[in-house]
Amino acid sequence: MSESQIDFRQTKFLISAPDIAHLDQYLPGDVGVEIAFAGRSNAGKSSALNALTEQKGLARTSKTPGRTQLINVFSLAADRRLVDLPGYGFAKVPLALKNKWQLALGEYLQKRACLSGVVVLMDIRHPLKDLDMQMIEWAVFSEIPVLALLTKSDKLAQNVKMKTVNAVRKDLFKFGDWVQVEPFSSTKGTGKPKVLSILNKWCNPQWLLDQQALEKEKQEQHD
């Protein structure tokens, strides 16, 4: 399947699952390609998904952060899926429930073999919190590419926005090609073409294999 064949406007809700065990029941075999969306509960995850797919009601949005309590899976095309993971770090819910969400999040990231990329969404005014960095570091360690998406970029003046973007890129430079940083606005559409281009590339499993092979070659040369 070529990159040009992915039409994100055709995205459809597929299933919700409380944990990876239930996910395996609905999607046996752990096959195909999944791109996960992760971030703090107030990062604008649902709004970003709706904007990228041009569907206002695809992912449920709420003025109360932390409403995404399940692993929500959306179908892109044959064996291509977007996955909205439970938000972390902010939700005002009982500790036991928050721990349950975190367990589901961790299990998915650690055990889902078809995971091809992770979009880590962060409010551009408050980027790179501890949990964000943990998410990025885990993905890179697991050789899964990351898009650090700085949401709500329309909230900042252009010069402040670019200063913040450049500062985050500098902080994440050590991860090399595994991490890309882009500003994004769900309301203004800022960054949308770039993000869709990256997601299209991730939908091609061969790209990830080539990236892993290149990294291995670099490591061997360094050794």
Side-chain angles (χ1 to χ4, degrees):
M1 179 177 289
S2 66
E3 294 178 16
S4 61
Q5 289 179 286
I6 301 295
D7 184 355
F8 288 85
R9 295 171 300 178
Q10 300 301 314
T11 304
K12 295 180 175 63
F13 173 76
L14 191 60
I15 56 160
S16 291
D19 51 43
I20 195 168
H22 287 81
L23 194 63
D24 287 338
Q25 291 178 17
Y26 295 126
L27 297 169
D30 195 1
V31 297
V33 171
E34 289 180 355
I35 298 172
F37 282 66
R40 293 174 66 84
S41 299
N42 57 342
K45 205 153 39 72
S46 296
S47 295
L49 278 165
N50 290 343
L52 290 169
T53 60
E54 297 183 17
Q55 299 184 49
K56 292 183 179 180
L58 182 71
R60 187 174 66 178
T61 60
S62 171
K63 292 184 179 179
T64 304
R67 286 293 176 87
T68 302
Q69 303 176 20
L70 302 170
I71 299 172
N72 295 308
V73 183
F74 304 92
S75 174
L76 276 176
D79 287 334
R80 304 305 196 263
R81 297 176 293 274
L82 300 180
V83 180
D84 185 12
L85 295 173
Y88 54 78
F90 182 85
K92 295 180 179 178
V93 297
L95 181 60
L97 182 56
K98 186 181 292 188
N99 289 340
K100 183 179 180 181
W101 295 356
Q102 297 304 107
L103 179 61
L105 176 67
E107 279 190 335
Y108 172 84
L109 293 169
Q110 293 171 27
K111 298 179 180 179
R112 199 69 177 165
C114 61
L115 183 58
S116 177
V118 178
V119 182
V120 178
L121 297 95
M122 299 174 279
D123 186 325
I124 194 169
R125 298 165 296 181
H126 313 287
L128 297 180
K129 299 294 186 182
D130 287 347
L131 290 174
D132 301 322
M133 283 301 298
Q134 288 176 24
M135 181 73 66
I136 293 169
E137 289 170 353
W138 173 88
V140 173
F141 177 78
S142 303
E143 296 189 341
I144 296 172
V146 174
L147 170 59
L149 198 61
L150 304 181
T151 63
K152 307 181 184 181
S153 65
D154 56 293
K155 302 292 186 181
L156 297 179
Q158 179 67 16
N159 62 326
V160 180
K161 177 180 75 174
M162 292 316 302
K163 183 178 179 180
T164 304
V165 171
N166 290 332
V168 173
R169 284 176 175 160
K170 183 178 179 181
D171 286 340
L172 299 178
F173 180 78
K174 61 185 177 182
F175 297 120
D177 294 338
W178 287 106
V179 180
Q180 298 177 74
V181 180
E182 297 294 337
F184 185 79
S185 169
S186 297
T187 56
K188 302 292 186 180
T190 306
K192 182 179 175 181
K194 180 67 174 180
V195 173
L196 290 178
S197 175
I198 293 170
L199 298 183
N200 264 310
K201 183 167 62 174
W202 286 356
C203 282
N204 173 16
Q206 188 58 45
W207 177 85
L208 183 56
L209 294 175
D210 292 343
Q211 180 75 2
Q212 290 171 336
L214 180 62
E215 191 69 21
K216 183 178 180 181
E217 183 179 334
K218 287 181 180 178
Q219 187 63 43
E220 290 174 348
Q221 292 174 351
H222 182 266
D223 294 341

